Amino acid sequence: MIDERTEAARLDALRMLDLLDTPPSESFDRITRMAAQLFRLPIAAVSLTDFDRQWFKSRVGVSHTGLPREKAPCALVAESRDCLVVPDLLTDARYHDSPLAGSGARFYAGAPLLTREGFGLGAMCVVGPEPRAATPEEMAALADLAAMVMAQIELQHAFGRVDPLSGMPNRIQFLEDLEDMARDRPPGEPRIAVLIDLASPERLSAAVRVMGSVYLDDMIRLAGRILRAAMPAGCKAYHVAATQFAFVAPPDLAEPGCTVAMRRMLDRLAEVASPHLMAGLAAGLAPFRLGETAPRDVLRTAHGAAQDARGSEGRIGIHSSAQDAAHRRRFGLLQDFAQALERPDELRLVFQPRIDLASGACRGGEALLRWRHPALGEVSPGEFMPLVEQTSMARPATAWVLEAAMRQLAAWREAGLDLQLSVNVSAANLAERDLPGRVLDGLRRHRLSPDCLELEVTESTVMEDAGQALAVLEALAGAGIRLAIDDFGTGHSSLSYLQRLPAQVVKIDQSFMRGLMSDDRKQALVSTMILLSHDLGYEVVAEGVEDAEVRDFLVAASCNEAQGYLFARPMAAGDFLAWRQAHADGEADRHRQARQPRLAVPGERRPGRAVQAGSPVG
Ligand code: C2E
Ligand code: MG
Ligand code: MG
């Protein structure tokens, strides 16, 4: 009779090791082959005694993966924790009618797999087709091999493969098991990896601050237990990072089923765990093909999907390769931009003219950054600047642009041209206390007066850290540098707030010019913005002017300046000068013609200003 409590403890010890139903592994197979060779027998196995079956972790010469526990000699070895030799199964009263004997086996010898605590997990066994005896030396060697199996089990479990906090297999084990699984299962089998993240890094550190690390450890242990209990049959959960757990869904669970199962799991986690921590709870599903997707990519993509899902209503994200490609591109761009800053030929400035609407004159323009990536070709600043601005590269990037713009201004001045340039600066730049000093230093070095430079900041830029940003802006304005509020109308700030900024110029965002002539409300909005800005003492520049009707509307609304494809696209410095000359000549002609008397035709509209084609570079 088996003592029930001992058996429960034994089974628990077996489960803790997470060996049942795992794929075969070479480290065990090697020992099994040695056992077969030792006895010169065709069959050997490492078998584990589950509550109702003997399951083969490793096997030589057998095709099936297990036997019913009842009447399996290995079960007796595990229970008795002693070696067993059955010289002839057919004449043995206990096993003559066992499935093993039924399959033609006659000889059996097994040595117990004993844990340090003395639990018998199963047996290292050999089986032969003929009755025979086993010498004491053979049995001693078999016991040694069983001990080697146990050493391997303990090694795998303890050494760098188990998270000490949760007691669960860790990331290294996950990656290795994925590789084993790929060997064991049909090649290319579609599977889904699931990653559950309890909290974002920010939330995690906030939670540690508020509740302490002991509380957090308890929380993670609890989450681990919940996950283990909720695992689908045959699934093993891994603790792959501080707050992250992962598993591979069983082969029969496709995406919809997996999503439903995950929703249940997340609900259960959210129910029991701390709301402080679990508000950032998210899960990522990464469909992949066994043996085709590298295990690291499986984990990475599942993690990415979880990150994307965080904060979304459902909290479950499914990896898509399009999204992944976009992430990779962003990551690659950021890495490469650092190099671009160092290289002479990747970055350059282009210049887009700004036109005075009253006189038609061009007194300067906006300097815009261009990047020719060695592999990707031209990359738009609309793509890379928002990324760069979030990193420490915002500082060297703006420094590069400022220096290049000042160099250009100095070259123009040398050529006798008195031009102005505006340069875009990022939110991060306004946190640089030394920005005003560096800008002034640059102006001095290039012997430029401060009024030839204008800095463009967006309204949201200033909102981010109003105090510090204001101090920097005031220092710049105090030194005589003009400031413009870029992309005006797209943020959430009010004109009354902006009035506190020491800016002279408001640049109305190009989105207001799009479809302006067919939208009465937009027209009213633009007129009002111009009126209010004037009342508050700003000059107004309209961005993105693409057609003559919009320009005429802006002239009628007393907008000061305009910029847009109607006049010219951003151009290289040489083209900018050529364009400016042609534009000036065109304007002079127009004025001459306007002075010549002619007959007025009733109802005729004033002809639109001639559009000059600049060579498009931007
Ligand atoms: P922005 O400062 O508002 O610049 C105006 C953008 O509108 C430029 O795009 C310009 O090429 C484009 N544009 C000009 N006229 C028209 C038009 O008529 N129609 C249309 N559809 N677009 C027009 P670009 O050069 O691609 O720059 C995009 C944004 O990238 C800029 O918006 C600015 O926010 C940022 N950026 C560009 N260069 C720099 C830089 O040196 N530093 C920083 N911090 N940001 C930059
Ligand atoms: Mg701008
Ligand atoms: Mg703009």
Side-chain angles (χ1 to χ4, degrees):
M1 262 310 278
I2 312 169
D3 172 56
E4 258 180 43
R5 281 197 20 214
T6 319
E7 174 62 6
R10 191 193 71 78
L11 278 173
D12 192 47
L14 179 62
R15 296 263 152 73
M16 276 286 282
L17 292 169
D18 259 327
L19 279 167
L20 287 171
D21 300 306
T22 55
S25 124
E26 177 57 22
S27 45
F28 290 102
D29 291 351
R30 202 178 290 135
I31 306 175
T32 311
R33 284 196 298 272
M34 281 166 72
Q37 276 160 18
L38 178 75
F39 281 80
R40 293 183 210 287
L41 286 176
I43 297 176
V46 171
S47 93
L48 300 171
T49 312
D50 199 1
F51 76 101
D52 61 345
R53 58 175 179 156
Q54 278 303 131
W55 180 79
F56 301 154
K57 168 67 192 166
S58 168
R59 56 205 151 96
V60 170
V62 233
S63 54
H64 47 276
T65 54
L67 289 170
R69 175 169 173 173
E70 213 186 50
K71 299 224 175 242
C74 284
L76 182 59
V77 175
E79 288 153 19
S80 67
R81 295 176 289 156
D82 216 347
C83 286
L84 172 71
V85 180
V86 185
D88 187 353
L89 289 161
L90 277 186
T91 58
D92 189 295
R94 294 165 299 181
Y95 300 114
H96 68 96
D97 57 350
S98 68
L100 194 58
S103 70
R106 299 293 291 270
F107 169 75
Y108 171 93
L113 302 172
L114 294 173
T115 66
R116 275 174 209 280
E117 296 77 26
F119 293 117
L121 300 182
M124 167 93 250
C125 69
V126 288
V127 172
E130 309 291 342
R132 63 164 278 188
T135 65
E137 293 77 32
E138 280 176 327
M139 288 314 290
L142 192 64
D144 280 349
L145 291 178
M148 277 170 69
V149 168
M150 279 316 297
Q152 184 62 35
I153 289 174
E154 276 176 355
L155 197 70
Q156 278 200 0
H157 191 66
F159 193 71
R161 285 155 191 280
V162 167
D163 187 279
L165 188 61
S166 61
M168 290 161 82
N170 64 10
R171 190 173 137 273
I172 297 172
Q173 191 67 55
F174 178 82
L175 297 174
E176 231 180 76
D177 285 357
L178 259 185
E179 258 162 33
D180 281 343
M181 206 187 270
R183 272 195 289 274
D184 187 42
R185 306 281 314 174
E189 183 179 61
R191 299 292 283 266
I192 299 175
V194 178
L195 185 133
I196 296 167
D197 199 350
L198 304 181
S200 65
E202 303 84 57
R203 234 168 223 290
L204 182 67
S205 61
V208 172
R209 255 180 104 161
V210 177
M211 296 172 284
S213 56
V214 173
Y215 174 83
L216 200 72
D217 289 354
D218 287 346
M219 213 72 261
I220 287 169
R221 262 191 228 106
L222 175 65
R225 272 205 298 280
I226 292 170
L227 283 178
R228 256 200 312 261
M231 273 303 105
C235 269
K236 180 166 160 186
Y238 300 79
H239 191 171
V240 291
T243 55
Q244 293 165 17
F245 299 89
F247 65 93
V248 177
D252 54 350
L253 201 55
E255 216 172 271
C258 204
T259 311
V260 172
M262 283 318 303
R263 167 117 320 113
R264 243 181 274 129
M265 225 179 265
L266 291 190
D267 287 348
R268 173 92 186 98
L269 277 171
E271 227 170 71
V272 295
S274 146
H276 295 283
L277 193 59
M278 301 292 172
L281 192 63
L285 272 53
F288 69 102
R289 285 184 182 275
L290 274 177
E292 289 176 14
T293 320
R296 269 172 209 291
D297 284 338
V298 172
L299 205 53
R300 182 180 61 75
T301 49
H303 181 227
Q307 274 189 317
D308 289 346
R310 174 165 294 130
S312 75
E313 206 180 325
R315 297 185 301 191
I316 299 175
I318 298 170
H319 161 77
S320 86
S321 44
Q323 265 175 352
D324 192 38
H327 272 124
R328 277 161 177 275
R329 182 177 162 101
R330 286 203 283 271
F331 186 74
L333 283 180
L334 265 184
Q335 273 193 324
D336 298 343
F337 190 77
Q339 282 180 8
L341 280 168
E342 304 292 323
R343 292 185 176 165
D345 52 348
E346 289 191 26
L347 298 179
R348 67 186 193 284
L349 287 187
V350 290
F351 306 91
Q352 187 177 34
R354 229 158 85 173
I355 310 298
D356 180 84
L357 286 173
S359 67
C362 163
R363 291 195 299 261
E366 178 172 4
L368 293 156
L369 188 55
R370 291 291 177 269
W371 180 14
R372 188 175 293 125
H373 187 283
L376 303 171
E378 292 290 340
V379 187
S380 155
E383 181 179 8
F384 67 81
M385 276 317 290
L387 305 175
V388 169
E389 282 170 349
Q390 286 167 35
T391 71
S392 59
M393 279 188 291
R395 182 184 168 108
T398 296
W400 191 99
V401 173
L402 276 168
E403 178 59 27
M406 287 190 217
R407 217 183 305 125
Q408 188 58 63
L409 279 169
W412 281 335
R413 207 215 32 231
E414 290 285 297
L417 294 163
D418 184 19
L419 292 172
Q420 289 180 341
L421 276 182
S422 60
V423 166
N424 296 281
V425 299
S426 316
N429 301 131
L430 297 187
E432 300 165 13
R433 284 169 204 273
D434 61 345
L435 180 73
R438 285 188 293 123
V439 173
L440 287 178
D441 184 51
L443 288 170
R444 263 195 300 274
R445 258 189 302 113
H446 291 287
R447 284 184 278 136
L448 294 167
S449 87
D451 61 4
C452 67
L453 189 66
E454 182 178 282
L455 298 184
E456 296 188 8
V457 294
T458 60
E459 29 182 332
S460 45
T461 302
V462 187
M463 298 293 281
E464 256 171 50
D465 176 10
Q468 175 61 31
L470 261 180
V472 168
L473 289 177
E474 266 154 15
L476 287 164
I481 293 161
R482 286 158 60 87
L483 299 173
I485 299 162
D486 201 1
D487 302 345
F488 183 73
T490 55
H492 302 290
S493 47
S494 64
L495 270 172
S496 67
Y497 169 80
L498 293 176
Q499 201 194 0
R500 287 170 46 204
L501 301 180
Q504 290 81 29
V505 178
V506 158
K507 294 186 83 175
I508 298 180
D509 191 65
Q510 48 179 278
S511 56
F512 291 96
M513 305 306 142
R514 235 169 281 141
L516 180 69
M517 300 322 290
S518 56
D519 188 337
D520 290 347
R521 282 173 55 92
K522 236 181 195 172
Q523 290 179 19
L525 211 60
V526 171
S527 302
T528 311
M529 274 198 269
I530 294 170
L531 217 63
L532 274 173
S533 302
H534 281 161
D535 282 351
L536 292 167
Y538 291 112
E539 282 172 36
V540 183
V541 180
E543 289 190 297
V545 177
E546 292 187 0
D547 50 73
E549 285 77 23
V550 171
R551 182 213 41 215
D552 293 344
F553 174 88
L554 292 166
V555 170
S558 304
C559 182
N560 304 86
E561 286 180 83
Q563 187 181 331
Y565 295 168
L566 171 67
F567 309 103
R569 290 185 177 245
M571 295 170 279
D575 295 328
F576 178 85
L577 279 195
W579 176 89
R580 188 169 172 272
Q581 189 54 55
H583 175 76
D585 294 347
E587 284 298 303
D589 280 352
R590 201 177 59 82
H591 284 297
R592 251 194 314 278
Q593 280 168 15
R595 275 200 302 274
Q596 279 169 12
R598 61 185 186 125
L599 285 172
V601 182
E604 186 197 62
R605 285 183 63 200
R606 250 183 77 208
R609 210 172 281 152
V611 176
Q612 307 284 337
S615 41
V617 177

